[in-house]
Amino acid sequence: MNLKYLCSALIILAGYTAGAQKAEQIYSHAQVVKPNEFYMQQIALWKKELDKDKTNANAWLNYYRANRYAHITSGQDSMYARNRFERMQGVVAEIEKNIPGTYEMHFVKWANGYNDWKYLPDLKKAYALDSTRTETYDGFINLYEVNRDTKKRDEFLKKWYASGKISPGLLNYNYNVLQSLAPNAILITAGDNDTYFAWMLQAVQGIRKDVTIVNVGLASMKEYSERLSKELGVALPNTDDRTYEQYVAALYKALVKNKAGRTVYAGLTVDEAYLKPVAENLYLVGLAYEYNTQKMDNIALLKKNLEQVYALDYIDRSFAPDPYATVVDHANSNYIVPMLTLYNHYKLSGEAEKARHWKEEVQYIAATCGKQEELKDYFKE
């Protein structure tokens, strides 16, 4: 089954006001996404702050982030393009010159290396200087996951959870992803928010600890790939002579051959383009695609997951502020395709009340992710 994501490349740009002249705190892209114009403007504004005081560590951190995310949102960069980090070396050198030995300097050196373990001493020094700043935690989580030291990995996941600097919405979303899966499943994930929060649910709440989560970015690292290969009884691919799209498809095909015959899924957060080579064997079961070479009744699974298993109240009933609010809206856009599938099913089977229910759910979510116009024609009678 090859379904199109209606909101797969959505970036929520709420909160940006063109022409703002105030230097603003720059948050991680995993938490808040802004347009390129915002980051370009912030580069200049934070540079003014640095011209006043070159020892302002917070200004340097924000200046670095504004430059980094300006590259990412420029349309000329790839998440895995090493040249981005090379281009940023000039900024890092300036930081090292002006605020040596600070938390911000060590953190930036680590962050700019993108999991290059030669910068691990900087991550450790940053953590030693301030262990309460959660932005270092994902580095340790990655380190211990790559080493398959899940006990230490989970210590940092629990520490992050206890800090309160987490997203209730993303925990809810990932709860529903995990509940989409068969026992002892393998789940392929693509980024931060579909990986760390799923691991957090497993570590803190004990939810679906039977599921093995394989992040495609980490899986491309040689040492991690080798450990997973032995653990799962498969020959995982390397990235040599492959595009990223080819690598993800090869990873999926390899994981399906795991020695235990465990069912393999890809979360809807994995870009559709990466799944095209295996699309004919993918079945939508909720917030994940199940790989199956045999024809299966995915409608029955969709009904079960969306109508009986998923916790959906959080979508329109949030009782606490969420620091990841716009990113949660982005994630929730992934409900549109499974809900539309149920809407079409009930419409064709003459169950008007159920069709109306899913139509209203889709329209509500579309309103939060800016897709009302795209769906207006879809629902024309």
Side-chain angles (χ1 to χ4, degrees), residues 129-192:
L129 287 165
D130 192 344
S131 63
T132 66
R133 295 181 70 161
T134 59
E135 59 205 351
T136 62
Y137 295 178
D138 61 349
F140 288 103
I141 292 166
N142 290 347
L143 170 67
Y144 293 126
E145 172 63 19
V146 167
N147 291 330
R148 295 305 287 147
D149 187 341
T150 55
K151 182 178 180 181
K152 287 186 178 179
R153 180 202 70 185
D154 289 356
E155 287 176 6
F156 274 91
L157 288 162
K158 291 173 181 177
K159 187 177 177 70
W160 191 357
Y161 184 90
S163 74
K165 297 176 181 178
I166 56 172
S167 168
L170 289 174
L171 285 172
N172 275 280
Y173 177 87
N174 282 282
Y175 171 84
N176 289 339
V177 174
L178 290 172
Q179 298 295 30
S180 304
L181 316 178
N184 301 309
I186 296 171
L187 172 67
I188 299 173
T189 60
D192 293 355

Side-chain angles (χ1 to χ4, degrees), residues 20 58 67 107 117 152 204 214 272 331 335 349:
N58 182 60
N67 275 277
F107 175 73
W117 301 128
K152 287 186 178 179
V204 178
V214 178
E272 182 187 34
Y335 286 104
S349 63

Side-chain angles (χ1 to χ4, degrees), residues 167-181 187 193-194 197-202 205-208 211 213 287 305 308-314 335:
S167 168
L170 289 174
L171 285 172
N172 275 280
Y173 177 87
N174 282 282
Y175 171 84
N176 289 339
V177 174
L178 290 172
Q179 298 295 30
S180 304
L181 316 178
L187 172 67
N193 293 331
D194 60 348
F197 288 98
W199 277 335
M200 195 177 290
L201 288 169
Q202 292 178 322
Q205 301 289 344
I207 293 169
R208 295 306 306 270
V211 174
I213 297 165
L287 292 176
N305 286 332
Q308 300 175 33
V309 176
Y310 285 2
L312 297 174
D313 284 354
Y314 83 97
Y335 286 104

Side-chain angles (χ1 to χ4, degrees), residues 330-342:
H330 179 190
N332 288 346
S333 70
N334 286 316
Y335 286 104
I336 290 179
V337 169
M339 287 180 176
L340 277 179
T341 303
L342 285 186

Side-chain angles (χ1 to χ4, degrees), residues 53-236:
D53 180 5
K54 290 192 182 298
T55 65
N56 185 335
N58 182 60
W60 276 115
L61 179 58
N62 282 288
Y63 181 67
Y64 167 80
R65 284 177 167 162
N67 275 277
R68 175 171 175 159
Y69 297 142
H71 283 313
I72 294 174
T73 57
S74 68
Q76 301 176 0
D77 197 80
S78 166
M79 184 61 190
Y80 296 91
R82 291 288 174 180
N83 65 333
R84 179 173 87 223
F85 304 100
E86 293 169 1
R87 293 197 305 272
M88 293 296 295
Q89 282 301 321
V91 177
V92 175
E94 284 293 304
I95 291 172
E96 198 164 6
K97 173 184 173 182
N98 287 283
I99 52 169
T102 60
Y103 168 92
E104 289 77 7
M105 184 213 79
H106 288 298
F107 175 73
V108 164
K109 286 185 70 177
W110 160 257
N112 200 57
Y114 188 69
N115 287 330
D116 186 333
W117 301 128
K118 75 179 181 183
Y119 296 108
L120 182 59
D122 287 291
L123 176 67
K124 290 181 175 180
K125 287 175 183 176
Y127 180 74
L129 287 165
D130 192 344
S131 63
T132 66
R133 295 181 70 161
T134 59
E135 59 205 351
T136 62
Y137 295 178
D138 61 349
F140 288 103
I141 292 166
N142 290 347
L143 170 67
Y144 293 126
E145 172 63 19
V146 167
N147 291 330
R148 295 305 287 147
D149 187 341
T150 55
K151 182 178 180 181
K152 287 186 178 179
R153 180 202 70 185
D154 289 356
E155 287 176 6
F156 274 91
L157 288 162
K158 291 173 181 177
K159 187 177 177 70
W160 191 357
Y161 184 90
S163 74
K165 297 176 181 178
I166 56 172
S167 168
L170 289 174
L171 285 172
N172 275 280
Y173 177 87
N174 282 282
Y175 171 84
N176 289 339
V177 174
L178 290 172
Q179 298 295 30
S180 304
L181 316 178
N184 301 309
I186 296 171
L187 172 67
I188 299 173
T189 60
D192 293 355
N193 293 331
D194 60 348
T195 303
Y196 298 134
F197 288 98
W199 277 335
M200 195 177 290
L201 288 169
Q202 292 178 322
V204 178
Q205 301 289 344
I207 293 169
R208 295 306 306 270
K209 296 184 76 170
D210 58 305
V211 174
T212 297
I213 297 165
V214 178
N215 177 276
V216 293
L218 293 180
S220 67
M221 301 173 69
K222 186 174 184 291
E223 63 267 45
Y224 185 52
S225 178
E226 289 174 350
R227 292 186 179 102
L228 274 184
S229 292
K230 291 178 182 177
E231 196 173 306
L232 300 174
V234 296
L236 294 182

Side-chain angles (χ1 to χ4, degrees), residues 5-12 271 330 333 371:
Y5 300 137
L6 292 182
C7 295
S8 61
L10 174 69
I11 295 179
I12 301 292
D271 195 309
H330 179 190
S333 70
K371 292 291 175 177

